[in-house]
């Protein structure tokens, strides 16, 4: 982890395209502004975790449905060819 000291209105640049600006400091809080390209997602960590958990849950549901469909098609194929 890189630890930097910045004063109000100072910033850091990440990868030449993301700027993190210290907008205010006070009472155990630091406000930051983030300028990033529109294709870069920026979230608070707790929001990011929630998004990732929802993706995992959705992926699990899709995989379960796919397994069910696969079984259905396999059994339908057995029925269709069993009489010949």
């Amino acid at each position: 982890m890189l630890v930097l000291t910045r004063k109000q209105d100072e910033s850091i640049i990440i990868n030449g395209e993301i700027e993190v600006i210290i907008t205010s400091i006070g009472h155990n809080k630091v406000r930051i502004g983030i300028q990033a390209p529109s294709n870069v997602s920026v979230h608070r960590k707790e929001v990011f975790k929630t998004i990732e958990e929802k993706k995992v849950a959705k992926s699990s549901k899709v995989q379960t449905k796919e397994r069910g469909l696969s079984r259905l098609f396999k059994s339908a194929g057995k029925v269709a060819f069993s009489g010949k």
Side-chain angles (χ1 to χ4, degrees), residues 21-82:
I21 307 144
I22 307 304
T23 60
S24 66
I25 303 169
H27 302 308
N28 296 325
K29 289 188 180 183
V30 175
R31 288 182 64 108
I32 60 172
I34 302 167
Q35 291 183 332
S38 59
N39 65 326
V40 175
S41 297
V42 178
H43 301 287
R44 295 186 323 259
K45 187 173 183 176
E46 61 274 15
V47 172
F48 179 78
K49 282 183 177 182
T50 301
I51 291 168
E52 290 301 305
E53 288 168 0
K54 286 181 180 180
K55 283 182 186 176
V56 169
K58 184 176 181 180
S59 174
S60 177
K61 286 180 184 178
V62 168
Q63 289 175 356
T64 300
K65 287 180 182 178
E66 287 174 351
R67 277 189 243 119
L69 286 173
S70 177
R71 287 187 202 125
L72 178 66
F73 286 127
K74 284 180 184 178
S75 65
K78 290 177 184 175
V79 172
F81 296 111
S82 65

